[in-house]
Amino acid sequence: MSPRKQVQEELSREKIMDVAHELFVQKGYQHVSMRQIAKELNYSHGAIYYHFNNKADLFYAMVVQDFELLNQVLQQIINQDIPPDEKLKKILLGYIEFGLTHKSQYELMFLINDEEVKSCIQQEPMESYGMFANVISNLSNQKASIQDIWSIFLSIHGFVTHYCRSNQTYDDVKNLARSHVEYILKPILNGKV
């Protein structure tokens, strides 16, 4: 019997993306080939090419899925019927919680340093940031300028990035995250922007 899986076990895009994700995180994008992914799955590399044109296409599909998940988290908070000040805080905390709950996805979404990948994932980060910026602007009653919103984003992104490669979970730093969000929103919430 061949070491390859039998045809009855159909190879899905999701299976491929799960294995590829782990390999990209462990070894880095540049050090993973389609053949390695196929070997890990016990399939021929041709079976992967049936679902994805190349490694960049596979990576792009993974990142699109991750940005959709982030946007869903933020949309759930936006849809809550709570006061604007509380919603602002929850949006920022929701972003931080997403990043620290999905560390490996966050790393691939925002922290990968590869020109091939960067060139194919420009639209999704901009759409996600646009959603974030519009919500912050609307919830602050237009008190926050474009520069303020960008600074808020960089501040929470920096917080997530700082803890992303640690063993600490969101629950471990939840109180720090709350303090951080309170601090960066203080000028907006006090009307001193």
Side-chain angles (χ1 to χ4, degrees):
M1 179 149 177
S2 167
R4 302 287 179 209
K5 300 233 184 216
Q6 293 184 5
V7 178
Q8 295 104 305
E9 289 185 47
E10 187 173 324
L11 182 62
S12 69
R13 288 174 60 89
E14 289 73 27
K15 279 185 191 176
I16 297 168
M17 288 192 288
D18 288 345
V19 168
H21 181 269
E22 290 306 313
L23 289 172
F24 288 147
V25 169
Q26 288 172 10
K27 298 180 178 191
Y29 177 82
Q30 283 298 333
H31 302 289
V32 175
S33 69
M34 295 292 265
R35 286 184 187 273
Q36 288 172 314
I37 296 166
K39 183 178 178 184
E40 192 73 24
L41 288 161
N42 287 326
Y43 276 89
S44 71
H45 66 281
I48 295 177
Y49 285 110
Y50 175 78
H51 294 281
F52 300 99
N53 294 329
N54 52 42
K55 185 171 71 165
D57 185 40
L58 168 56
F59 185 86
Y60 178 74
M62 289 174 14
V63 171
V64 166
Q65 187 175 324
D66 293 338
F67 273 105
E68 287 172 359
L69 181 60
L70 172 60
N71 292 343
Q72 287 172 6
V73 167
L74 297 178
Q75 193 62 53
Q76 287 174 350
I77 298 167
I78 292 166
N79 292 340
Q80 293 179 8
D81 189 22
I82 55 177
D85 290 1
E86 190 178 332
K87 195 177 284 193
L88 258 174
K89 291 174 189 174
K90 282 188 120 179
I91 291 284
L92 300 187
L93 285 171
Y95 185 95
I96 291 171
E97 184 174 5
F98 173 87
L100 296 181
T101 303
H102 305 280
K103 289 180 180 182
S104 59
Q105 287 96 326
Y106 192 88
E107 211 170 305
L108 294 178
M109 292 163 68
F110 290 104
L111 302 176
I112 194 160
N113 192 19
D114 183 275
E115 290 307 315
E116 179 184 5
V117 170
K118 282 182 182 178
S119 68
C120 71
I121 56 166
Q122 294 176 359
Q123 181 179 344
E124 287 70 24
M126 292 309 294
E127 286 176 4
S128 193
Y129 175 75
M131 178 179 158
F132 174 86
N134 286 333
V135 169
I136 300 301
S137 179
N138 291 336
L139 291 174
S140 70
N141 293 321
Q142 313 299 322
K143 292 178 195 170
S145 69
I146 293 170
Q147 292 85 358
D148 294 331
I149 295 168
W150 181 242
S151 293
I152 290 168
F153 174 77
L154 288 178
S155 184
I156 62 169
H157 173 64
F159 187 95
V160 172
T161 302
H162 178 76
Y163 289 103
C164 211
R165 294 190 175 146
S166 75
N167 292 329
Q168 293 175 298
T169 66
Y170 175 73
D171 286 336
D172 295 336
V173 299
K174 189 186 302 186
N175 290 333
L176 284 173
R178 285 186 183 134
S179 295
H180 185 66
V181 166
E182 292 279 343
Y183 180 78
I184 61 178
L185 286 179
K186 192 181 288 186
I188 292 171
L189 298 178
N190 295 335
K192 297 179 181 176
V193 176

